[in-house]
Amino acid sequence: MSKLISSLLLIPLLVIVMVIQIQIQLTSSQPTTSSNNVLGFRCSSSSSTTGSRSSCTSLIDYKLPNTTTLSSLLNLFQIKNLRTLLSANNLPLSTSHNQSYPSSSILKIPFPCSCSITNTTGISDRRPFYTVVPGDGLFHIAADVFSNLVTFQQIQQVNNISDPNLILVGQKLWIPLPCSCDDVDGEDVVHYGHLVAAGSTLTGIAQQFNTTETTLLDLNGITNSADLKADSILDVPLKVCTSSVRNNSLDYPLLVPNGTYTFTANNCVRCQCNAANNWILECEPSGMSLPNMQTCPSMQCVGTSFDLGNTTSDSTCSRSRCEYSGYTNATIFTTLTQESTCTDGNSPSGNGSSGLRWKFLVGAFVIALHLVTWL
């Protein structure tokens, strides 16, 4: 009898042990993610230089999970035209839709960003949407399809999914890519979700993208540079070229970061940013054919005989440039600016050839004076 009682007492204990083991197995079978499942980058939707700005265009690195064509990327991220993708990656306009890139290649994806006033974070503005296919799961979609740009919990949160294991074929899921529209240190920037490569350092990333380690630490809530993790997405503020675009222009503020170009003024104008050009935005007529036989408005600088992008020398160390300053309705605005083309090394008043000749004459006079005194 005592043995029977002991056996009966063991049954509940065995049941409890089995339940615990099953729970452990279920927990271990769930995909692990980073501890930070907060949506988006920090974004207060306020800019000291442009006033409140709750929307903008951002960039993010996408590591291709397999060999992929540009056409497939356009569909996956709902990018309206190929030019937008090409310009973000500084690829030639002649690049075909069918151009493919091998697995693990990294391309920058441009997308519209929206900042939330309530939780002060920024995520992609209702795009991209992904349509569930047979065999899909939230973890597979986050990790494999979108290369860990988001976690499955984040997809679950924005789509109000109560059970991550219950999604339906044909269901459209909003993928909340992280982004921001905030200015940084009082200057407008383009926020870029940079994929951290193995072996990278915050110092190296800061130098590569013309920012500071302190700025990267602050933007990303990192307390120590040693906390930087490979394959994580880092909020990097990209410096943009200065422009003459007026604040009543339909494309204001026109933010173009180094190594990219963009089309504006209804595709009539092409602007590019090159740090080697003193961070000054260079714009010129795009030369594109417009639909329905439309033509672009005049782009001639008022009072001159040259068009947008043209320059003319005014003197030895000065030139004038016809710069783009925005557009409204059917008008393209231009402005005439003056640029200094001389540096201290070649200025007539500096240490250039003329300066050296002047120093030579002074030196010769001093030597001659000493010779006369000695004689």
Side-chain angles (χ1 to χ4, degrees), residues 119-139:
N119 57 17
T120 63
T121 58
I123 56 176
S124 53
D125 190 7
R126 290 291 171 178
R127 75 170 72 166
F129 269 94
Y130 175 79
T131 303
V132 177
V133 299
D136 268 343
L138 285 188
F139 177 71

Side-chain angles (χ1 to χ4, degrees), residues 75-78 111 124-130 146 173-177:
N75 291 329
L76 181 63
F77 289 97
Q78 283 94 63
F111 64 94
S124 53
D125 190 7
R126 290 291 171 178
R127 75 170 72 166
F129 269 94
Y130 175 79
F146 287 95
L173 301 176
W174 172 20
I175 309 300
L177 304 177

Side-chain angles (χ1 to χ4, degrees), residues 140-154:
H140 165 71
I141 295 169
D144 301 326
V145 179
F146 287 95
S147 299
N148 289 311
L149 294 181
V150 294
T151 65
F152 81 90
Q153 293 99 330
Q154 292 168 342

Side-chain angles (χ1 to χ4, degrees), residues 57-217:
T57 297
S58 290
L59 298 170
I60 197 167
D61 279 339
Y62 178 59
K63 189 174 184 178
L64 304 186
N66 44 49
T67 299
T68 309
T69 64
L70 293 181
S71 179
S72 296
L73 289 180
L74 296 179
N75 291 329
L76 181 63
F77 289 97
Q78 283 94 63
I79 301 173
K80 292 183 179 180
N81 59 68
L82 180 62
R83 291 190 305 274
T84 304
L85 184 58
L86 297 179
S87 60
N89 291 277
N90 205 25
L91 296 172
L93 280 175
S94 57
T95 308
S96 168
H97 281 80
N98 297 321
Q99 176 68 47
S100 64
Y101 293 85
S103 172
S104 297
S105 297
I106 297 175
L107 291 175
K108 294 183 181 68
I109 302 298
F111 64 94
C113 176
S114 179
C115 296
S116 171
I117 298 177
T118 55
N119 57 17
T120 63
T121 58
I123 56 176
S124 53
D125 190 7
R126 290 291 171 178
R127 75 170 72 166
F129 269 94
Y130 175 79
T131 303
V132 177
V133 299
D136 268 343
L138 285 188
F139 177 71
H140 165 71
I141 295 169
D144 301 326
V145 179
F146 287 95
S147 299
N148 289 311
L149 294 181
V150 294
T151 65
F152 81 90
Q153 293 99 330
Q154 292 168 342
I155 299 176
Q156 179 183 357
Q157 180 180 342
V158 298
N159 291 281
N160 297 315
I161 298 174
S162 57
D163 187 344
N165 297 311
L166 295 178
I167 56 175
L168 304 175
V169 173
Q171 184 176 355
K172 292 186 179 297
L173 301 176
W174 172 20
I175 309 300
L177 304 177
C179 60
S180 177
C181 297
D182 281 356
D183 63 351
V184 174
D185 298 329
E187 295 184 357
D188 280 317
V189 298
V190 170
H191 286 262
Y192 160 48
H194 172 65
L195 179 64
V196 178
S200 294
T201 64
L202 274 182
T203 301
I205 294 173
Q207 292 175 347
Q208 180 182 358
F209 295 109
N210 295 284
T211 186
T212 67
E213 186 173 343
T214 301
T215 297
L216 294 179
L217 288 169

